[in-house]
Every structure is written in C-alpha cells, then in structure tokens.
Amino acid sequence: MSGGLVALLDDVAALARIAAASVDDVAAGAARAGVKAAGVVIDDAAVTPQYVSGADPSRELPMIKRIFWGSLRNKLLVILPALLLISAFIPWIIPFILMLGGTYLCYEGAEKVWHKLRGHHDDEKAPAVERGPDAEAKVIKGAITTDFILSCEIMVISMNEVAAESIWSRALILVVVAVAITVLVYGAVGLIVKMDDIGLHLTTKDSAGSKRFGELLVKGMPGVLAAITFVGTIAMLWVGGHIMVQGAHDLGWHLPYDLIHGLEEPFAGIAVVGGLLAWLVNTLCSAIVGLAWGLLVMAIVHPLLKALPFGKKKGGHTEGDVRAAIAGHRSKHHEEKS
C-alpha cells in the first residue's frame, strides 16, 4: 500500500515538473513573441490617446475600458482562431501575411516621417467632445477598428515567433500575449490620459514639492506624447524593415540580409558592448530598409488613393493623431485652470 502511495506521489511530482516546464515554455514563448511585437505595441499606445482627447475627464477611463474589451475580443475571438486555423492547414501563407503586415508598418512609419518633414498638421481635427455626446459610440468603434489592424500585426508577428511549437502551445502562448499586451497598452494609455489630471490635483496640495511635481506633469505631458509618437515611428520602421529583410531572405533573396549581418559582424566581437552595438547596427539598417520600402509603397499607394472614390478618410490612423491628443489635453488644462 505504501509502495503504491509512493509511486503515486512520484507520478504527481513528475506531472508537476512537466507542468512547470510547460509553464516555463509558455512564458518564454510569450516573452519572445511579445518582444518581436514591441514596435506595434508602442504604436498602439501612441495612437489610442487621440480617441479620448478633449473628452470630459469622467468619460476618459470608461471609453478606454470599452476600447480595451473590444481589443481583447478582437484578439481572442477573431484573430486567434483564424491564425490557429491558418497555421494548422495553410502554414505556408504565414510569411506572406507577415510581410503584408511588415509592409503596412513600413508604410505607416514612412508616412509619418514624410509628413513630419513636410510640416503637415492635422490641427483641424476636432477632439471627440467637440463632435457632440452622441459621437462617443462612433469614436469607440473607430478606435476598436484601428486597434483590430494593429492587433492583427501583433498576433501574426507573435505567431511567427512560436510557429515551431505544438498547436496547443501556440494557442496558450498567443492567449498570454494577447492578454498581456492588451493590459499593458491600455493600462499605459489610461495612465497617460489621466496623468495631467493627476498633475492638476497635485498642484492643489499644500506641499511645495507636490505642487512643483504636479506642474511638471502638466507641462511635460505634451512632450511625453510626442516622445511616444517618435519612438513608435522608429519602432514601426525597425520592426517592419526587419520583417521585410527576413522575409526576403526566407523567400530566396539573401542580399539585404547578408549585407546587414556583414555590417554588424565587426561590432559583435567588441568586448562587453559588442552585442549591443551589433543590435544597434542591425536595428538602424532595418529601420533604413523600412523607411525606403515605406516610401516606395507610398509612391504607389497615394496616387491610387487619390484616384479611387473612397480615398483615405480623415480621422484615420495618421501622423496627426497624437498631435490632436496634445491639443485636446492643452485645451482641457486651460479650461480647468481658468
């Protein structure tokens, strides 16, 4: 009897070790996939504040909450099942989907750089609150639609990183990635859009240090939003360019891939900082490739958009998105101070 109990305990311990190893594998896979999707994650966090810019402070977090749940439904109920079916039955199409997403990232990043250099502005875009209270549902729907595009890119990039895993491991890893990234993005967005309110609240405190810190938060938020936009643009070009270089290599055109790795090799051997320098060289080269490919796509797509009757609608995912958010936050500060 005791021998049977010992054997049972051994089996339980073995199962526990297997489960722990599986958890470690899922965690490692999720981390690997999440890092690869970082460029899109940053862009998602940079884009979303526009949708609540100018809204009543009491409505900001409820709006973000609705967008959060819409984003999570997109990832878990639509994108994840579709990707699992594709990976199970037509996995050969994933690299092409990935390169299509990479092209979109390059295009969006190059468009932002192009309009920034040309000094274009979207100041005429009114914050959501100025379009009337009935517009909130429409604004949220537009935010969820934009998020769907970005979520597709995040999930496809993540899927490609764990394509060698079993289908159940893939499913679990992608669930972890979907939940973790959505919480991260919309937690950060919620913090960003309320940071100025926190700052204004601190300015009412008796402590001189609290007042100074509150003023610093209020004055610094436009710069923070602009910095997020800049980092998001660079990350889009880097990730998009890397996807295109790797995709071209996998499809048989090795020149860009070999050239970039040839440029980073001399730095890789430097003691202590070699790995970092090699990564920076690879990142810079990938961003340059992303910018060049994005500008080429722009040269093809923009004339088509002008020729087609529907064109590119205003209010979409453009380079003025975060600028509109900054304008909304500034106007709100002035109103509350007065």
Side-chain angles (χ1 to χ4, degrees):
M1 186 70 176
S2 61
L5 179 59
V6 171
L8 177 61
L9 291 176
D10 286 342
D11 290 342
V12 170
L15 288 173
R17 285 194 296 271
I18 293 170
S22 298
V23 170
D24 288 342
D25 291 341
V26 169
R32 191 170 70 249
V35 168
K36 276 292 185 178
V40 193
V41 172
I42 296 169
D43 187 51
D44 205 355
V47 168
T48 306
Q50 66 161 312
Y51 293 103
V52 296
S53 65
D56 186 278
S58 65
R59 295 304 305 154
E60 288 175 339
L61 292 182
M63 289 174 72
I64 291 171
K65 182 179 177 181
R66 291 177 64 184
I67 298 169
F68 165 83
W69 286 114
S71 174
L72 202 56
R73 285 195 300 271
N74 282 342
K75 292 183 179 75
L76 295 181
L77 302 182
V78 180
I79 301 170
L80 176 59
L83 282 179
L84 289 175
L85 288 172
I86 288 172
S87 67
F89 296 104
I90 45 173
W92 56 267
I93 204 173
I94 291 178
F96 296 98
I97 297 175
L98 193 63
M99 291 185 73
L100 183 62
T103 297
Y104 176 81
L105 287 174
C106 295
Y107 168 75
E108 284 289 315
E111 189 178 45
K112 289 181 179 183
V113 171
W114 176 259
H115 286 294
K116 183 67 175 178
L117 292 176
R118 295 194 65 183
H120 284 196
H121 299 283
D122 266 359
D123 294 334
E124 72 278 2
K125 186 189 295 182
V129 69
E130 296 178 11
R131 298 196 288 270
D134 295 336
E136 184 174 311
K138 185 177 179 181
V139 169
I140 291 170
K141 182 180 179 181
I144 294 173
T145 301
T146 299
D147 178 90
F148 181 82
I149 298 171
L150 297 171
S151 294
C152 283
E153 296 168 17
I154 290 169
M155 297 296 279
V156 171
I157 292 171
S158 302
M159 170 67 82
N160 189 65
E161 283 301 301
V162 295
E165 304 288 340
S166 69
I167 189 165
W168 295 113
S169 293
R170 271 177 279 166
L172 191 53
I173 288 170
L174 290 179
V175 167
V176 172
V177 169
V179 173
I181 283 180
T182 307
V183 170
L184 173 65
V185 167
Y186 288 98
V189 168
L191 184 62
I192 288 169
V193 301
K194 299 306 290 183
M195 193 66 73
D196 53 349
D197 296 323
I198 295 171
L200 287 170
H201 177 70
L202 289 174
T203 58
T204 64
K205 299 293 184 180
D206 294 332
S207 169
S210 296
K211 286 183 178 180
R212 283 196 298 271
F213 185 63
E215 291 173 358
L216 181 64
L217 287 179
V218 172
K219 293 177 181 178
M221 280 314 297
V224 170
L225 289 167
I228 291 173
T229 304
F230 174 78
V231 173
T233 300
I234 299 301
M236 288 169 69
L237 292 172
W238 157 50
V239 174
H242 181 79
I243 289 171
M244 300 312 296
V245 169
Q246 185 65 51
H249 177 74
D250 293 342
L251 293 175
W253 188 35
H254 307 298
L255 179 61
Y257 182 93
D258 292 341
L259 181 60
I260 291 175
H261 281 272
L263 289 173
E264 70 178 71
E265 274 182 11
F267 298 92
I270 299 176
V272 183
V273 296
L276 174 62
L277 292 177
W279 180 84
L280 288 174
V281 170
N282 188 294
T283 299
L284 177 61
C285 292
S286 296
I288 292 171
V289 170
L291 179 61
W293 179 244
L295 291 173
L296 178 61
V297 174
M298 273 182 62
I300 298 170
V301 169
H302 278 199
L304 290 176
L305 290 176
K306 291 178 181 178
L308 293 172
F310 48 83
K312 186 171 184 178
K313 296 179 181 179
K314 288 183 179 181
H317 178 189
T318 65
E319 76 285 348
D321 291 342
V322 175
R323 192 178 293 110
I326 294 170
H329 282 289
R330 282 177 175 169
S331 65
K332 187 170 67 177
H333 296 324
H334 293 315
E335 288 171 6
E336 293 185 6
K337 283 185 175 181
S338 60

